[in-house]
Amino acid sequence: MKVTQILLVLVWFFCIYASTSFSANVTYDHRALVIDGKRRVLVSGSIHYPRSTPEMWPDIIQKSKDGGLDVIETYVFWNLHEPVQGQYNFEGRADLVKFVKTVAAAGLYVHLRIGPYACAEWNYGGFPLWLHFIPGIQFRTDNKPFEAEMQRFTAKIVDMMKKENLYASQGGPIILSQVENEYGNIDAAYGSAAKSYIKWAASMATSFDTGVPWVMCQQDDAPDPIINTCNGFYCDQFKPNSLSKPKMWTENWSGWFLSFGGAVPYRPVEDLAFAVARFYQLGGTFQNYYMYHGGTNFGRSAGGPFISTSYDYDAPIDEYGTIRQPKWGHLKDLHKAIKLCEEALTATDPTITSLGPNIEAAVYKTGSACAAFLANNDDTSDANVTFNGNSYDLPAWSVSILPDCRNVVLNTAKISSVSTISSFTTEPLKEEIGSSDDSCSGWSWISEPVGISKADSFSKFGLLEQVNTTGDRSDYLWYSLSIDLDAVTQTVLHIESLGHALHAFINGKLAGSGTGNKVKVDIPVPLVAGKNTIDLLSLTVGLKNYGAFFDTAGAGITGPVILKSLANGSSLDLSSQNWTYQIGLKGEDLGPSSGSSGQWNSQSTLPTNQTLIWYKTNFASPSGSNPVAINLTGMGKGEAWVNGQSIGRYWPTNASPNDGCTNSCNYRGAYQASKCLKNCGKPSQTLYHVPRSWLQPESNTLVLFEEIGGNPEQITFATKQIASVCSHVSESHPPHVDLWNSDAESGRTVGPVLLLECPYPNQVISSIKFASFGTPQGTCGNFKHGNCSSNKALSVVQKGCIGSSSCRIELSINTFGDPCKGVAKSLAVEASCA
């Protein structure tokens, strides 16, 4: 290894493992968190360490810092760290200490949400299933067995952090911790025991003496000194339960989660920015995006049920670790604008004045510092207002920020940052043929037996609830029964299940299936005279993670199971018969998920569209360094592994409803999860993230377990590309925040500018696909010239941008001429980078 390489490794090692020095004293007052005696305006973002890989963490965290974040917020996932009682896992994606140190190395703070209840669309809300089986336990209430386990795990995490000197009181990055989570949303269901539980939880948390404040979100009765905080799409109207506590927003939902069978939700950045600006306008000083990077539900970590493997969340940094524009850039500009106001924001409370119907001004003024926020809360009508003797245009549902109480640095509805068009480039699965267990197609397979095939099966009278039976060791539970009939008949098998899906096999053949939170199906079944075997495969798709008593929600075939329309017109209730049960699949015990089983079949004809089958192939990694996904179109439902690592459940046959989506979504007006949807009538998820760090250049192994039938030869890889970079700025845009100077400081007024920047290092702008100054229409990728367009626009932009990694073009008739006098004009550009 070269000397320079050794030095780089040593620098990296020091950054990650050496103690990064942070503030030693974190307190709070009614305005803000106080760090080393100074009130702070803080912007935070959620990144859940197990939803990405350790190799991805440094890049994601640096992009978060570049986007203007001060704090990284994460849950701690109990079932990840203690899957078996007393047996801990803090390796790989579960290396919490490494994650916190990686955040520290970037110079950011940490908010550690220990909970230990997480929700987070995570399996069982983050609780380990073994907790459910402790005698006498009741979750999240004044219950001694639960409190003992909750305190033990919380102490474990706190002690780990203290041992590594990671609390701010020790010079580390952790400035906040959270106990419990959104309990106030459901505590009424627990009666008076809820109040005593919350008091206990607060006392337990503060007894650890971490030296930093603790918070409880959505908990109006959080006892002192715990800070109660807000979660939601909007928290500007939230008030803490004490005049001595700051106004804090722990979850600003940047989008929403995707479910199998649902359309893809997204949240326009103009609305998100409006919500953030309104929060700081009305006294808030700590705001966190949930999520800033959503990531992936690897393995069986997704909750729900039916939460998809993608946890992209329409976050500013997407599932693959790529910046999502214009969301990331517009929020970055917003953060800069808010930070320009920090001195005034932290010095005093705002003075709120009405400027008209649904229009208000908030002014923070102390000494020489003055900052103002002008808000138009109307969801339809733009407005022109007079403030401090000056005139300001306010688009509907927007906030203008004036760091000097005179000049607008940013309006939340006017985006100055670039937009990008991303796409996936398809590559064939490059099978490596030649190993002893490969067929000529490159695929080998193992058929999973229908029904009971394992030695550890057992029999019980009656139908067993699934979660209590499997302990969530597998998604799968077989229910098997043999019956004798005197005559051949066509009957109907009626099955009722608590979910989440089932497949009914009669005499080894699939007869029908059902899916849902509760399943009720009537399946025509061909029975024969004599012995008939009924094999029912019940499966879970993530355990429930939210709601009062969610931990008691069951799954599986609890009945009744009835044979209807027998030969004599009667029915036969099978529910109380002596059923035989098998937990999990035979293949799960043999280890085919790693590709190591010796039973792979490599006959010349690959079976396709077959139920209950394992597939395996070896492949070469897609070239380059762009993010990788595997396109599982053509497969039905199951789970996939790459080099032994589960990339999660797949279900590309589960499509969203045909209606509910719109071509565009109006950001004006209150957002809720179903307001803005895309991908209607299409599979909810076809692309599944494969982290680059899990791949080798050659000799990779892909294994799939397919439940309902598919064709693995249709599988392809896809690499994520940025196809275009765009910007569209009008003459009414304020000057870019990077050019901010008050008039008094600059001595001149700066006009709006269009900025372009390539998304990746070492790229330059290689071509201008579109440029129009005048009245261009459309969006990135679909710009069109309007009735008015300067004939100089393309040449001006080409001259100013091609060959540079970034460029800045002033919107000026001196540059472009005036193609239509008296008409408001804008400049729209689409470019390519290479």
Side-chain angles (χ1 to χ4, degrees):
M1 184 180 290
K2 296 179 180 179
V3 174
T4 53
Q5 291 177 307
I6 295 173
L7 288 173
L8 285 172
V9 171
L10 289 173
V11 168
W12 176 85
F13 182 87
F14 179 80
C15 288
I16 296 297
Y17 292 101
S19 177
T20 304
S21 180
F22 282 83
S23 302
N25 186 30
V26 183
T27 58
Y28 64 83
D29 61 19
H30 82 288
R31 282 299 298 128
L33 289 179
V34 179
I35 301 178
D36 275 350
K38 183 180 180 181
R39 290 175 177 168
R40 293 292 307 276
V41 168
L42 296 171
V43 182
S44 175
S46 290
I47 301 171
H48 296 160
Y49 51 99
R51 283 177 159 144
S52 53
T53 65
E55 292 80 7
M56 294 172 67
W57 294 343
D59 181 62
I60 293 169
I61 291 165
Q62 185 60 49
K63 287 173 179 172
S64 302
K65 182 178 182 179
D66 293 344
L69 298 196
D70 307 292
V71 184
I72 300 299
E73 183 176 289
T74 186
Y75 283 121
V76 176
F77 299 91
W78 190 352
N79 55 7
L80 174 73
H81 295 302
E82 195 178 5
V84 177
Q85 189 172 14
Q87 297 180 23
Y88 295 99
N89 170 32
F90 290 98
E91 302 295 325
R93 290 184 295 110
D95 194 339
L96 175 60
V97 167
K98 182 175 182 177
F99 178 77
V100 173
K101 288 184 175 181
T102 305
V103 176
L108 299 179
Y109 296 118
V110 172
H111 177 195
L112 194 65
R113 307 176 78 186
I114 300 175
Y117 166 66
C119 183
E121 293 72 56
W122 188 269
N123 192 50
Y124 212 47
F127 285 137
L129 224 295
W130 55 259
L131 198 66
H132 174 73
F133 297 103
I134 292 177
I137 201 165
Q138 188 177 6
F139 288 13
R140 304 179 75 197
T141 188
D142 195 358
N143 172 270
K144 298 307 177 187
F146 176 75
E147 289 169 348
E149 291 298 324
M150 176 174 168
Q151 181 163 353
R152 181 185 60 80
F153 180 74
T154 304
K156 171 79 174 178
I157 299 301
V158 170
D159 289 346
M160 285 182 66
M161 300 302 107
K162 284 185 174 181
K163 183 179 178 181
E164 299 290 337
N165 296 316
L166 293 176
Y167 283 103
S169 56
Q170 302 171 295
I174 302 173
I175 59 169
L176 283 171
S177 287
Q178 179 177 300
V179 64
E180 248 301 334
N181 185 53
E182 293 185 332
Y183 188 64
N185 293 352
I186 49 92
D187 59 3
Y190 295 87
S192 61
K195 293 188 178 298
S196 53
Y197 166 64
I198 282 299
K199 289 179 181 178
W200 169 85
S203 176
M204 181 268 294
T206 54
S207 72
F208 290 123
D209 193 25
T210 61
V212 303
W214 287 81
V215 305
M216 285 182 175
C217 62
Q218 296 294 92
Q219 196 66 47
D220 291 342
D221 61 349
D224 293 343
I226 307 293
I227 305 169
N228 66 304
T229 67
C230 183
N231 292 356
F233 290 118
Y234 307 94
C235 281
D236 50 283
Q237 299 302 313
F238 168 76
K239 294 182 179 179
N241 64 12
S242 167
L243 296 177
S244 65
K245 298 177 183 179
K247 180 173 178 174
M248 298 176 63
W249 192 356
T250 35
E251 289 189 17
N252 178 2
W253 301 324
S254 58
W256 200 243
F257 58 84
L258 173 66
S259 297
F260 285 124
V264 178
Y266 64 98
R267 186 179 185 186
V269 68
E270 297 96 327
D271 174 68
L272 182 57
F274 172 76
V276 173
R278 285 283 289 159
F279 180 73
Y280 288 103
Q281 173 189 356
L282 297 181
T285 50
F286 180 102
Q287 184 267 160
N288 176 78
Y289 298 101
Y290 186 102
M291 303 290 297
Y292 199 76
H293 164 71
T296 306
N297 290 317
F298 297 115
R300 299 171 56 242
S301 62
F306 305 117
I307 301 299
S308 67
T309 297
S310 171
Y311 199 68
D312 181 85
Y313 222 89
D314 196 38
I317 300 174
D318 72 13
E319 176 181 4
Y320 300 87
T322 304
I323 287 172
R324 173 176 274 115
Q325 295 284 31
K327 183 167 274 190
W328 182 89
H330 191 45
L331 295 177
K332 175 183 179 180
D333 293 344
L334 174 65
H335 305 153
K336 288 182 177 180
I338 290 168
K339 288 302 181 78
L340 289 170
C341 307
E342 183 169 18
E343 180 183 354
L345 283 173
T346 56
T348 185
D349 295 311
T351 299
I352 310 296
T353 305
S354 174
L355 301 180
N358 294 317
I359 301 172
E360 63 183 15
V363 176
Y364 293 84
K365 184 172 177 58
T366 176
S368 61
C370 184
F373 294 74
L374 307 181
N376 181 356
N377 302 321
D378 194 286
D379 60 8
T380 56
S381 299
D382 297 346
N384 180 270
V385 301
T386 299
F387 172 73
N388 283 351
N390 296 315
S391 179
Y392 299 90
D393 290 322
L394 284 177
W397 205 254
S398 76
V399 177
S400 285
I401 301 174
L402 293 67
D404 59 359
C405 286
R406 294 189 308 277
N407 297 287
V408 176
V409 68
L410 180 139
N411 177 272
T412 58
K414 294 182 178 294
I415 299 173
S416 295
S417 66
V418 299
S419 299
T420 56
I421 299 176
S422 62
S423 62
F424 282 90
T425 300
T426 299
E427 296 188 19
L429 190 67
K430 302 171 186 174
E431 297 106 339
E432 295 176 343
I433 301 173
S435 60
S436 60
D437 63 348
D438 281 338
S439 69
C440 61
S441 69
W443 287 92
S444 52
W445 63 93
I446 300 174
S447 291
E448 177 70 26
V450 172
I452 307 303
S453 60
K454 294 168 58 177
D456 60 357
S457 63
F458 60 94
S459 296
K460 291 278 186 180
F461 284 96
L463 297 166
L464 299 181
E465 189 278 324
Q466 183 166 348
V467 178
N468 282 294
T469 304
T470 66
D472 198 38
R473 297 193 299 275
S474 170
D475 281 354
Y476 303 98
L477 178 64
W478 280 106
Y479 298 66
S480 185
L481 180 68
S482 292
I483 59 171
D484 286 307
L485 296 176
D486 294 332
V488 178
T489 181
Q490 179 71 37
T491 64
V492 171
L493 182 62
H494 175 83
I495 309 170
E496 294 188 24
S497 167
L498 298 177
H500 308 138
L502 65 86
H503 306 299
F505 295 82
I506 305 298
N507 298 323
K509 302 291 185 181
L510 179 66
S513 301
T515 183
N517 283 298
K518 289 190 177 180
V519 180
K520 185 182 292 187
V521 292
D522 288 289
I523 302 172
V525 291
L527 300 177
V528 298
K531 182 180 178 182
N532 291 268
T533 301
I534 300 173
D535 293 303
L536 307 179
L537 181 59
S538 176
L539 52 133
T540 53
V541 190
L543 300 186
K544 193 172 182 180
N545 55 263
Y546 180 76
F549 308 106
F550 78 86
D551 51 292
T552 63
I557 301 166
T558 53
V561 175
I562 303 171
L563 275 176
K564 296 181 177 180
S565 304
L566 295 174
N568 58 2
S570 64
S571 296
L572 177 61
D573 192 335
L574 306 176
S575 306
S576 58
Q577 297 279 333
N578 189 23
W579 291 82
T580 301
Y581 294 90
Q582 175 182 299
I583 297 171
L585 307 171
K586 183 177 182 180
E588 289 178 301
D589 290 350
L590 296 177
S593 61
S594 65
S596 60
S597 171
Q599 300 183 18
W600 293 102
N601 191 329
S602 55
Q603 296 176 9
S604 58
T605 302
L606 175 71
T608 59
N609 300 311
Q610 177 178 315
T611 59
L612 306 184
I613 186 169
W614 299 79
Y615 292 111
K616 183 186 78 164
T617 192
N618 296 319
F619 66 94
S621 174
S623 58
S625 59
N626 288 344
V628 176
I630 184 168
N631 188 332
L632 292 173
T633 300
M635 302 303 293
K637 180 184 180 300
E639 188 173 353
W641 294 261
V642 171
N643 294 331
Q645 301 268 15
S646 174
I647 63 172
R649 299 184 183 97
Y650 66 83
W651 202 349
T653 53
N654 200 342
S656 63
N658 289 321
D659 54 6
C661 294
T662 56
N663 292 330
S664 62
C665 183
N666 187 352
Y667 71 86
R668 300 170 181 87
Y671 180 83
Q672 39 84 24
S674 61
K675 180 182 179 181
C676 304
L677 300 173
K678 58 186 177 182
N679 211 46
C680 284
K682 299 178 181 179
S684 299
Q685 184 177 357
T686 57
L687 296 171
Y688 295 80
H689 181 207
V690 182
R692 276 280 182 185
S693 60
W694 290 3
L695 296 172
Q696 305 159 159
E698 308 287 339
S699 302
N700 298 283
T701 301
L702 170 65
V703 173
L704 306 104
F705 173 66
E706 174 57 49
E707 286 176 26
I708 61 177
N711 184 355
E713 292 183 306
Q714 294 183 22
I715 292 173
T716 58
F717 275 111
T719 55
K720 190 164 192 182
Q721 321 282 342
I722 303 297
S724 290
V725 178
C726 301
S727 186
H728 190 182
V729 175
S730 71
E731 291 178 320
S732 65
H733 274 59
H736 194 274
V737 64
D738 287 343
L739 306 177
W740 168 258
N741 271 310
S742 69
D743 287 348
E745 292 171 336
S746 66
R748 68 182 183 90
T749 300
V750 179
V753 298
L754 181 143
L755 301 178
L756 284 179
E757 184 174 9
C758 290
Y760 298 121
N762 304 319
Q763 282 189 325
V764 296
I765 298 168
S766 56
S767 68
I768 304 300
K769 297 180 178 180
F770 179 91
S772 177
F773 178 74
T775 57
Q777 306 296 317
T779 58
C780 187
N782 294 292
F783 286 135
K784 296 179 180 179
H785 293 282
N787 294 328
C788 159
S789 183
S790 167
N791 58 14
K792 297 181 179 180
L794 182 60
S795 62
V796 167
V797 175
Q798 286 175 330
K799 182 178 179 181
C801 296
I802 287 180
S804 301
S805 61
S806 63
C807 61
R808 176 186 300 170
I809 306 292
E810 292 189 19
L811 271 69
S812 169
I813 58 175
N814 294 329
T815 303
F816 294 100
D818 192 346
C820 42
K821 296 183 184 297
V823 175
K825 289 173 280 293
S826 63
L827 174 63
V829 177
E830 179 180 353
S832 292
C833 292

